[in-house]
Amino acid sequence: MTLRALLPLITACLTGFFSCAAMADALHDPTGLWTGRLVTDQGTCDETRDTSTFQIGSKRIAFTPADGSIALRGVPEKDHAHYHAEALLQQPSGAPFPMVFEAHPDGETIVGTYGTPRCRAHIVLKR
C-alpha cells in the first residue's frame, strides 16, 4: 500500500472517526521507553528533580528514578496489565533500603507509584 492510499485512513484515525487501537496503546504495545517525572505524595523524594525512565522489554523491565545510577528491575507479566520492579540496597548502617515501583497501563500512558522508606511518589509515563 502506498502512503497516498493510507492517508485517508491515517487522517480518519487521527481525527477520531475510527478506533486507533492499532496505533498502539500502553496495554497492547508497551515495549519501549517511557518517561515522566515523579511527583511526591509523602515524605522526601529527591528523585523528583529529573525525568525518570521506564524500559519495557519482552523479558525484562527497568525503572530508573531521576535517570540516576540505580535501576529497579523486574519481569513483565504476560498480559502487560501490571508491572513490579524493585531494588534492595544496604544503607551505611547496614539496614536494608528497599525501592519499589508498581505500574499499570492507562490508555496511552503508564501510571505508577514509587516508594522507599523515605519517599512515596506517583508518575505518569509517556512514550
Side-chain angles (χ1 to χ4, degrees):
M1 232 180 191
T2 67
L3 181 56
R4 182 180 284 260
L6 287 174
L7 193 54
L9 177 60
I10 292 169
T11 302
C13 185
L14 292 175
T15 57
F17 290 112
F18 284 88
S19 170
C20 298
M23 290 195 120
D25 65 13
L27 178 63
H28 298 99
D29 184 22
T31 303
L33 294 176
W34 299 80
T35 60
R37 191 169 295 239
L38 287 161
V39 177
T40 302
D41 294 322
Q42 189 176 39
T44 303
C45 300
D46 294 333
E47 301 86 352
T48 59
R49 67 185 181 278
D50 293 314
T51 300
S52 297
T53 301
F54 185 38
Q55 302 173 45
I56 301 175
S58 60
K59 296 181 182 180
R60 292 185 305 233
I61 59 171
F63 178 71
T64 310
D67 287 342
S69 60
I70 300 171
L72 288 65
R73 302 199 181 277
V75 176
E77 291 184 357
K78 291 184 192 235
D79 64 0
H80 298 285
H82 179 261
Y83 299 98
H84 174 88
E86 61 185 54
L88 182 58
L89 306 178
Q90 188 173 12
Q91 297 181 63
S93 67
F97 190 82
M99 303 168 74
V100 177
F101 177 70
E102 300 278 340
H104 64 276
D106 186 10
E108 294 180 3
T109 65
I110 293 177
V111 296
T113 57
Y114 167 76
T116 73
R118 293 190 299 247
C119 163
R120 180 170 172 86
H122 68 273
I123 191 168
V124 177
L125 298 149
K126 299 178 182 177
R127 284 190 199 269

